[in-house]
Amino acid sequence: MERKEVDVVKKMQYILNMRSVLNKNAFFSDGTEYYRSPSEPKEGDTVKIRFRTQKNNVDAVYLICDGKRKEMYIADTSKGFDYYETEITIGSKVCRYYFEIEYGSLVCYYNTQGVTMEHEGRMDFEIYPGYDTPKWAKGAVMYQIYIDRFYNGDKTNDVETGEYFYIGDVSVRVENWDKIPAVMGVREFYGGDLQGIREKLDYLQELGVEVLYLNPVFVSPSNHKYDCQDYDYIDPHYGKILEDSDGLLQPGDRENSHAHKYIRRVTDKKNLEASNALFANLVQEIHKRGMRVILDGVFNHCGSFNKWMDRERIYENQEGYPKGAYVSAESPYRDFFDFKDENQWPYNPSYDGWWAHDTLPKLNYEKSSALYDYILKVGKKWVSPPYNVDGWRLDVAADLGHSIEFNHQFWKDFRRAVKEANPDALILAEHYGNPEGWLLGDEWDTVMNYDAFMEPITWFLTGMEKHSDEYREDLYGNSEAFIGAMRTHMRALHMSAFYTAMNELSNHDHSRFLTRTNRKVGRLSYAGAEAASLGVNPAVMREAVVIQMTWPGAPTVYYGDEAGVCGFTDPDNRRTYPWGKEDQQMLEFHKKMIEIHKRYEIIRSGSLEFLWNDYQGLAYGRFSDCEQMIVILNNLPEDREMEIEVWRTGITRREDTVLERVMLSYRSGYTEETSTYVAHGGVARLSVPGYGAMVLWHKDKKSE
């Protein structure tokens, strides 16, 4: 054979043996219904697991499940991707799995963090048999109402100035709705109530709200009501006062046993029953409108005014009320609390307070089965007729009890009690840090999403800590830190909790997000109220809202955020809703983004993939096999040209694909005006304005 022919043969053999470079960016799997079906299986269910690769790009894919290696097969090839599948049967214990990919002599792995060269067990995908969260809560648009500051619908139930004494001074009725809360404003009342919520239901419905989360509603001496006085009744100052009396405290009088007006209002059963009835009627009206209600449950501690403690001696001489534990050693509630000195009765002040606050007695569950059972009954009562609320938000839930073992046992029993009464009720906990221990399917459904939402977003877009107490230049615009934090903390939530997690930008415990956009450290006590509004950037706030309304989970608007309310952390974040003075542009933008969130099912159920990032820039996709939404953010002040690999959401690279723009926010405003962009070879090249956010959408025609 001549030399020339030999060269040709060698070239042909080389070409035949050529293969495409391993495309790790094409690898994908997660716990959504598109890659795990059913996504929330029960014991005994057969589950189909899928894994995506580039077409003809790997030699083999194996599912490694609980240490067993199972080869997967190509079940479908579409738009340049191979979809590998296999099935597993779910047992009674947690199922952990990951993927092993072979490419020639190379072996790599895929887990919740993406591609890795070594197996890391703590990053495996996990299935908890029987762990399912209420379908209605997945992606539900929630709205948090701090009731005293929302709307005053009934002025006859307003707290009066001098009605009682609390934490150093008397209660104050605020006459000016626009007044900035005082630094020590716990006893200031603006008059917001349940009737005010009722009168604003049209507004909430027009906004697009699906679930109302109410800060505490039970009898309490504070405006925040995290110091519960009576778990059995709605506070008449929020509800109805049928029986009233004179009897304000005289100047200088600090004895609440003399607060006859207050005592009549909050102990008279006619007022209490009427307030409960009003609440039941409100919930019924909310349900008629297709919305739901979540209550705030404060079960770790109560208040010093509580009828079980009665430090203020409000109930001491009232008919029908046993003596409180502070008042008498013979009280039936003595074991509800931990008294350090058994020799100080009557009027024993030696009880254990949460974080040493004597106004917040810690409940002593370990010593009292009666208390334990009582709170379980409270949990059941409010999700049952005639109230029928749709779930609980649990305050400082990890603090309840005196040991972690007891804490877990209580929440197991609480879940059982609540779900027996209302199987569709949501149990959502306030928690900072890793919540995995409570998210196994037998305690909490989900959490307020600080670690995998609020904190990464505020650091990335503003460089600010969520209280506005710190600014970090190293985290401002740091998309790598953002993605890393999101990946790490999303894994801890599991899929069932992740898609129902409460995603907030602001709430009653942290500064308003709009204030954080000025990137200034401050608090009301030393910076003053005006500083919270100086230099704010509404365009950055709109970027955050775009993320909030397109991210997996339940986007939760803190009342007034949609109207442009500013404020440093507590109490400045509790300003009143500015009725008639709203930032109309911000309000309309919220309405439009909520509408987009509700219009595209892919936002509630679709997969999530990061597509591109750099300093102050980020793009991610929400997608299924046939539908894609691309979200692009530019947090720099100047316009930028970007190239986004949209093919990673399943868009074909073999032909041009038209993407429809459904929202564009920019420095001075936003537009819903539709525009189209063409992705060539699976890559979209486009210009994004400064402080801009763009939302693109595509759906295969054959699936429409």
Side-chain angles (χ1 to χ4, degrees), residues 341-355:
D341 187 343
E342 299 288 333
N343 299 310
Q344 292 202 46
W345 277 289
Y347 314 126
N348 189 340
S350 69
Y351 56 85
D352 181 25
W354 184 59
W355 284 64

PDB file of all heavy atoms in Angstrom, residues 341-355:
ATOM      1  N   ASP A 341     -37.253  29.681  92.478  1.00  0.00           N
ATOM      2  CA  ASP A 341     -37.338  29.810  93.930  1.00  0.00           C
ATOM      3  C   ASP A 341     -38.753  29.417  94.369  1.00  0.00           C
ATOM      4  O   ASP A 341     -39.725  30.106  94.048  1.00  0.00           O
ATOM      5  CB  ASP A 341     -37.017  31.243  94.351  1.00  0.00           C
ATOM      6  CG  ASP A 341     -36.931  31.411  95.863  1.00  0.00           C
ATOM      7  OD1 ASP A 341     -37.420  30.518  96.589  1.00  0.00           O
ATOM      8  OD2 ASP A 341     -36.373  32.434  96.304  1.00  0.00           O
ATOM      9  N   GLU A 342     -38.863  28.323  95.085  1.00  0.00           N
ATOM     10  CA  GLU A 342     -40.165  27.806  95.499  1.00  0.00           C
ATOM     11  C   GLU A 342     -40.713  28.504  96.740  1.00  0.00           C
ATOM     12  O   GLU A 342     -41.788  28.146  97.230  1.00  0.00           O
ATOM     13  CB  GLU A 342     -40.040  26.297  95.776  1.00  0.00           C
ATOM     14  CG  GLU A 342     -39.609  25.467  94.573  1.00  0.00           C
ATOM     15  CD  GLU A 342     -40.713  25.354  93.533  1.00  0.00           C
ATOM     16  OE1 GLU A 342     -41.897  25.448  93.904  1.00  0.00           O
ATOM     17  OE2 GLU A 342     -40.384  25.190  92.336  1.00  0.00           O
ATOM     18  N   ASN A 343     -39.984  29.481  97.255  1.00  0.00           N
ATOM     19  CA  ASN A 343     -40.375  30.097  98.527  1.00  0.00           C
ATOM     20  C   ASN A 343     -40.859  31.539  98.383  1.00  0.00           C
ATOM     21  O   ASN A 343     -40.928  32.258  99.390  1.00  0.00           O
ATOM     22  CB  ASN A 343     -39.192  30.057  99.503  1.00  0.00           C
ATOM     23  CG  ASN A 343     -38.732  28.646  99.805  1.00  0.00           C
ATOM     24  OD1 ASN A 343     -39.550  27.792 100.145  1.00  0.00           O
ATOM     25  ND2 ASN A 343     -37.441  28.389  99.658  1.00  0.00           N
ATOM     26  N   GLN A 344     -41.161  31.948  97.160  1.00  0.00           N
ATOM     27  CA  GLN A 344     -41.524  33.363  96.968  1.00  0.00           C
ATOM     28  C   GLN A 344     -43.015  33.602  96.747  1.00  0.00           C
ATOM     29  O   GLN A 344     -43.412  34.722  96.445  1.00  0.00           O
ATOM     30  CB  GLN A 344     -40.717  33.962  95.810  1.00  0.00           C
ATOM     31  CG  GLN A 344     -39.230  34.090  96.108  1.00  0.00           C
ATOM     32  CD  GLN A 344     -38.576  35.134  95.208  1.00  0.00           C
ATOM     33  OE1 GLN A 344     -39.087  36.228  95.033  1.00  0.00           O
ATOM     34  NE2 GLN A 344     -37.420  34.781  94.656  1.00  0.00           N
ATOM     35  N   TRP A 345     -43.828  32.569  96.814  1.00  0.00           N
ATOM     36  CA  TRP A 345     -45.265  32.813  96.663  1.00  0.00           C
ATOM     37  C   TRP A 345     -45.848  33.428  97.941  1.00  0.00           C
ATOM     38  O   TRP A 345     -45.315  33.163  99.045  1.00  0.00           O
ATOM     39  CB  TRP A 345     -45.980  31.488  96.347  1.00  0.00           C
ATOM     40  CG  TRP A 345     -45.938  31.123  94.897  1.00  0.00           C
ATOM     41  CD1 TRP A 345     -46.611  31.721  93.876  1.00  0.00           C
ATOM     42  CD2 TRP A 345     -45.167  30.076  94.304  1.00  0.00           C
ATOM     43  NE1 TRP A 345     -46.319  31.121  92.672  1.00  0.00           N
ATOM     44  CE2 TRP A 345     -45.430  30.095  92.906  1.00  0.00           C
ATOM     45  CE3 TRP A 345     -44.277  29.117  94.801  1.00  0.00           C
ATOM     46  CZ2 TRP A 345     -44.856  29.204  92.009  1.00  0.00           C
ATOM     47  CZ3 TRP A 345     -43.706  28.220  93.901  1.00  0.00           C
ATOM     48  CH2 TRP A 345     -43.982  28.269  92.533  1.00  0.00           C
ATOM     49  N   PRO A 346     -46.920  34.238  97.811  1.00  0.00           N
ATOM     50  CA  PRO A 346     -47.569  34.598  96.551  1.00  0.00           C
ATOM     51  C   PRO A 346     -46.761  35.637  95.769  1.00  0.00           C
ATOM     52  O   PRO A 346     -45.896  36.301  96.321  1.00  0.00           O
ATOM     53  CB  PRO A 346     -48.906  35.182  97.004  1.00  0.00           C
ATOM     54  CG  PRO A 346     -48.606  35.757  98.363  1.00  0.00           C
ATOM     55  CD  PRO A 346     -47.592  34.817  98.974  1.00  0.00           C
ATOM     56  N   TYR A 347     -47.065  35.723  94.477  1.00  0.00           N
ATOM     57  CA  TYR A 347     -46.438  36.691  93.572  1.00  0.00           C
ATOM     58  C   TYR A 347     -44.947  36.369  93.393  1.00  0.00           C
ATOM     59  O   TYR A 347     -44.077  37.147  93.765  1.00  0.00           O
ATOM     60  CB  TYR A 347     -46.670  38.131  94.045  1.00  0.00           C
ATOM     61  CG  TYR A 347     -48.104  38.379  94.442  1.00  0.00           C
ATOM     62  CD1 TYR A 347     -48.432  38.904  95.687  1.00  0.00           C
ATOM     63  CD2 TYR A 347     -49.142  38.058  93.564  1.00  0.00           C
ATOM     64  CE1 TYR A 347     -49.751  39.121  96.059  1.00  0.00           C
ATOM     65  CE2 TYR A 347     -50.475  38.265  93.926  1.00  0.00           C
ATOM     66  CZ  TYR A 347     -50.764  38.791  95.162  1.00  0.00           C
ATOM     67  OH  TYR A 347     -52.076  38.981  95.530  1.00  0.00           O
ATOM     68  N   ASN A 348     -44.728  35.229  92.795  1.00  0.00           N
ATOM     69  CA  ASN A 348     -43.380  34.679  92.632  1.00  0.00           C
ATOM     70  C   ASN A 348     -42.780  35.120  91.292  1.00  0.00           C
ATOM     71  O   ASN A 348     -43.236  34.678  90.238  1.00  0.00           O
ATOM     72  CB  ASN A 348     -43.438  33.155  92.703  1.00  0.00           C
ATOM     73  CG  ASN A 348     -42.070  32.513  92.773  1.00  0.00           C
ATOM     74  OD1 ASN A 348     -41.067  33.118  92.407  1.00  0.00           O
ATOM     75  ND2 ASN A 348     -42.033  31.268  93.231  1.00  0.00           N
ATOM     76  N   PRO A 349     -41.750  35.960  91.316  1.00  0.00           N
ATOM     77  CA  PRO A 349     -41.165  36.466  90.059  1.00  0.00           C
ATOM     78  C   PRO A 349     -39.969  35.654  89.562  1.00  0.00           C
ATOM     79  O   PRO A 349     -39.278  36.088  88.636  1.00  0.00           O
ATOM     80  CB  PRO A 349     -40.708  37.864  90.468  1.00  0.00           C
ATOM     81  CG  PRO A 349     -40.234  37.675  91.881  1.00  0.00           C
ATOM     82  CD  PRO A 349     -41.148  36.636  92.493  1.00  0.00           C
ATOM     83  N   SER A 350     -39.723  34.483  90.131  1.00  0.00           N
ATOM     84  CA  SER A 350     -38.466  33.774  89.841  1.00  0.00           C
ATOM     85  C   SER A 350     -38.548  32.819  88.653  1.00  0.00           C
ATOM     86  O   SER A 350     -37.727  31.916  88.537  1.00  0.00           O
ATOM     87  CB  SER A 350     -38.024  32.986  91.086  1.00  0.00           C
ATOM     88  OG  SER A 350     -38.890  31.897  91.347  1.00  0.00           O
ATOM     89  N   TYR A 351     -39.510  33.013  87.789  1.00  0.00           N
ATOM     90  CA  TYR A 351     -39.683  32.091  86.656  1.00  0.00           C
ATOM     91  C   TYR A 351     -38.638  32.337  85.556  1.00  0.00           C
ATOM     92  O   TYR A 351     -38.064  33.423  85.441  1.00  0.00           O
ATOM     93  CB  TYR A 351     -41.095  32.220  86.079  1.00  0.00           C
ATOM     94  CG  TYR A 351     -41.473  33.626  85.661  1.00  0.00           C
ATOM     95  CD1 TYR A 351     -41.139  34.132  84.415  1.00  0.00           C
ATOM     96  CD2 TYR A 351     -42.179  34.455  86.541  1.00  0.00           C
ATOM     97  CE1 TYR A 351     -41.495  35.411  84.036  1.00  0.00           C
ATOM     98  CE2 TYR A 351     -42.527  35.746  86.174  1.00  0.00           C
ATOM     99  CZ  TYR A 351     -42.181  36.213  84.922  1.00  0.00           C
ATOM    100  OH  TYR A 351     -42.519  37.494  84.551  1.00  0.00           O
ATOM    101  N   ASP A 352     -38.461  31.315  84.746  1.00  0.00           N
ATOM    102  CA  ASP A 352     -37.516  31.364  83.627  1.00  0.00           C
ATOM    103  C   ASP A 352     -38.137  32.140  82.471  1.00  0.00           C
ATOM    104  O   ASP A 352     -39.246  31.826  82.030  1.00  0.00           O
ATOM    105  CB  ASP A 352     -37.180  29.929  83.199  1.00  0.00           C
ATOM    106  CG  ASP A 352     -36.191  29.866  82.046  1.00  0.00           C
ATOM    107  OD1 ASP A 352     -35.422  30.828  81.876  1.00  0.00           O
ATOM    108  OD2 ASP A 352     -36.187  28.858  81.314  1.00  0.00           O
ATOM    109  N   GLY A 353     -37.420  33.157  81.999  1.00  0.00           N
ATOM    110  CA  GLY A 353     -37.888  33.928  80.847  1.00  0.00           C
ATOM    111  C   GLY A 353     -37.050  33.611  79.621  1.00  0.00           C
ATOM    112  O   GLY A 353     -35.854  33.323  79.736  1.00  0.00           O
ATOM    113  N   TRP A 354     -37.693  33.642  78.448  1.00  0.00           N
ATOM    114  CA  TRP A 354     -36.960  33.376  77.207  1.00  0.00           C
ATOM    115  C   TRP A 354     -35.919  34.475  77.008  1.00  0.00           C
ATOM    116  O   TRP A 354     -36.238  35.653  77.043  1.00  0.00           O
ATOM    117  CB  TRP A 354     -37.930  33.310  76.030  1.00  0.00           C
ATOM    118  CG  TRP A 354     -37.278  32.956  74.736  1.00  0.00           C
ATOM    119  CD1 TRP A 354     -36.574  31.821  74.444  1.00  0.00           C
ATOM    120  CD2 TRP A 354     -37.278  33.740  73.537  1.00  0.00           C
ATOM    121  NE1 TRP A 354     -36.134  31.837  73.143  1.00  0.00           N
ATOM    122  CE2 TRP A 354     -36.545  33.013  72.564  1.00  0.00           C
ATOM    123  CE3 TRP A 354     -37.814  34.982  73.188  1.00  0.00           C
ATOM    124  CZ2 TRP A 354     -36.345  33.489  71.269  1.00  0.00           C
ATOM    125  CZ3 TRP A 354     -37.623  35.447  71.904  1.00  0.00           C
ATOM    126  CH2 TRP A 354     -36.895  34.708  70.952  1.00  0.00           C
ATOM    127  N   TRP A 355     -34.648  34.083  76.849  1.00  0.00           N
ATOM    128  CA  TRP A 355     -33.538  35.019  76.748  1.00  0.00           C
ATOM    129  C   TRP A 355     -33.541  35.989  77.933  1.00  0.00           C
ATOM    130  O   TRP A 355     -33.191  37.159  77.789  1.00  0.00           O
ATOM    131  CB  TRP A 355     -33.569  35.776  75.420  1.00  0.00           C
ATOM    132  CG  TRP A 355     -33.110  34.941  74.265  1.00  0.00           C
ATOM    133  CD1 TRP A 355     -33.693  33.819  73.781  1.00  0.00           C
ATOM    134  CD2 TRP A 355     -31.959  35.164  73.438  1.00  0.00           C
ATOM    135  NE1 TRP A 355     -32.987  33.317  72.710  1.00  0.00           N
ATOM    136  CE2 TRP A 355     -31.917  34.128  72.479  1.00  0.00           C
ATOM    137  CE3 TRP A 355     -30.967  36.142  73.410  1.00  0.00           C
ATOM    138  CZ2 TRP A 355     -30.923  34.039  71.509  1.00  0.00           C
ATOM    139  CZ3 TRP A 355     -29.982  36.046  72.442  1.00  0.00           C
ATOM    140  CH2 TRP A 355     -29.963  35.014  71.502  1.00  0.00           C
TER     141      TRP A 355
END
